[in-house]
Amino acid sequence: MMNGWTMGLEGWLWMAVWAIAIVVVVWLLVREPRASEPEAALETLRHRFAKGEISPDEYERARHLLES
């Protein structure tokens, strides 16, 4: 409840709840996606092999590691 120009305990609690909610939303928006997805890693590996960035031996070794 508001008393003149000051906030009561309820006002401070609601302000804290909203501040935490805003921080959580910002964190969810700016965090990096999880790179541990096996399909995404295999797709990246395939693209690198197709571009010629890695040799066939490196591709096979990395694919074997990712699939195990």
Side-chain angles (χ1 to χ4, degrees):
M1 175 158 52
M2 301 275 296
N3 295 337
W5 290 100
T6 62
M7 283 192 299
L9 180 60
E10 299 88 12
W12 288 109
L13 290 175
W14 277 112
M15 190 173 7
V17 167
W18 280 107
I20 291 170
I22 290 170
V23 168
V24 168
V25 167
V26 169
W27 176 76
L28 287 172
L29 290 173
V30 299
R31 70 183 172 108
E32 292 190 26
R34 297 188 340 177
S36 64
E37 301 291 330
E39 286 300 317
L42 282 171
E43 189 67 27
T44 302
L45 183 63
R46 286 185 198 108
H47 284 293
R48 290 189 63 202
F49 180 63
K51 289 181 180 179
E53 294 177 0
I54 57 176
S55 69
D57 291 335
E58 290 172 320
Y59 172 77
E60 288 298 325
R61 201 169 345 146
R63 186 182 59 81
H64 178 43
L65 284 172
L66 288 172
E67 289 177 345
S68 62

